[in-house]
Amino acid sequence: MEPSFVHNITDKREAYENFIEQFALMVDGETEEVSVLANASAAIRQAFGFFWIGFYIVKNDILILGPFQGDVACNRIRKGKGVCGTAWEKAGTIVVEDVDKFPGHIACSSASRSEIVVPLLCGNEVRAVLDIDSDEIATFDETDRYYLEKVAEIISRNIYR
Ligand code: SME
């Protein structure tokens, strides 16, 4: 059966549990980076409808814009810069309740109000980051962090092994 990413579930945990199951079915066994990242951004968009979902990929010590769903965005982000570059430097997830209060936040769109960035790891090495923006304040919390880190693990175990 084809995975379905559209649902009517209002409970966030249940929505993520449902999503993760379908997502793993779609991704497991596919090793092509661009394909997996492209479908991952589309699947997250279909399931949750966030404002912007995409990946920045580490290439030659800079983050380069990868597959995404949403408005056009910045092409390159340096290590330690913005939310993405900081998550890369720290090799850890960053949840930003209000982008205006994050020093150095890079505003690709003025409509973005809150954000979560989750690194994709191969061992301890950051290979890419998943960046999701919301046009509302404080969209992301510990539940999002928990499940989006699972999403990142599913991607990484297939394309960065
Ligand atoms: N806001 C990000 C830049 C990428 S866009 O949100 C798509 C940052 O501060 O790193």
Side-chain angles (χ1 to χ4, degrees):
M1 205 178 73
E2 288 291 306
S4 167
F5 295 107
V6 181
H7 53 71
N8 298 311
I9 298 163
T10 49
D11 177 73
K12 187 150 87 172
R13 279 176 199 282
E14 206 183 330
Y16 272 117
E17 290 284 349
N18 184 57
F19 177 79
I20 296 275
E21 202 179 303
Q22 301 294 313
F23 185 71
L25 282 177
M26 178 182 76
V27 172
D28 280 338
E30 179 53 68
T31 57
E32 186 60 41
E33 183 182 44
V34 169
S35 307
V36 169
L37 299 184
N39 262 341
S41 54
I44 296 168
R45 171 85 182 177
Q46 276 183 265
F48 300 100
F50 297 125
F51 176 71
W52 196 92
I53 304 115
F55 294 89
Y56 281 90
I57 300 168
V58 176
K59 273 189 189 159
N60 303 323
D61 220 38
I62 195 159
L63 286 173
I64 303 286
L65 181 63
F68 68 94
Q69 297 268 314
D71 293 352
V72 294
C74 340
N75 283 315
R76 290 163 187 263
I77 298 174
R78 290 202 306 279
K79 199 172 204 171
K81 299 293 175 191
V83 187
C84 292
T86 307
W88 174 22
E89 189 168 55
K90 295 187 167 171
T93 299
I94 300 182
V95 178
V96 181
E97 279 198 4
D98 179 349
V99 295
D100 290 339
K101 294 186 178 139
F102 187 94
H105 167 258
I106 300 163
C108 292
S109 165
S110 58
S112 175
R113 306 297 305 284
S114 58
E115 183 165 0
I116 184 168
V117 179
V118 183
L120 272 59
L121 300 164
C122 180
N124 293 327
E125 186 193 353
V126 177
R127 299 290 299 275
V129 299
L130 164 61
D131 178 17
I132 305 181
D133 288 19
S134 168
D135 55 5
E136 289 171 17
I137 287 280
T139 293
F140 307 103
D141 58 18
E142 288 306 305
T143 300
D144 298 275
R145 173 203 292 264
Y146 177 79
Y147 286 105
L148 291 171
E149 285 180 353
K150 280 189 182 294
V151 167
E153 279 165 31
I154 293 168
I155 295 171
S156 294
R157 77 184 177 208
N158 284 282
I159 64 175
Y160 298 134
R161 56 196 170 151

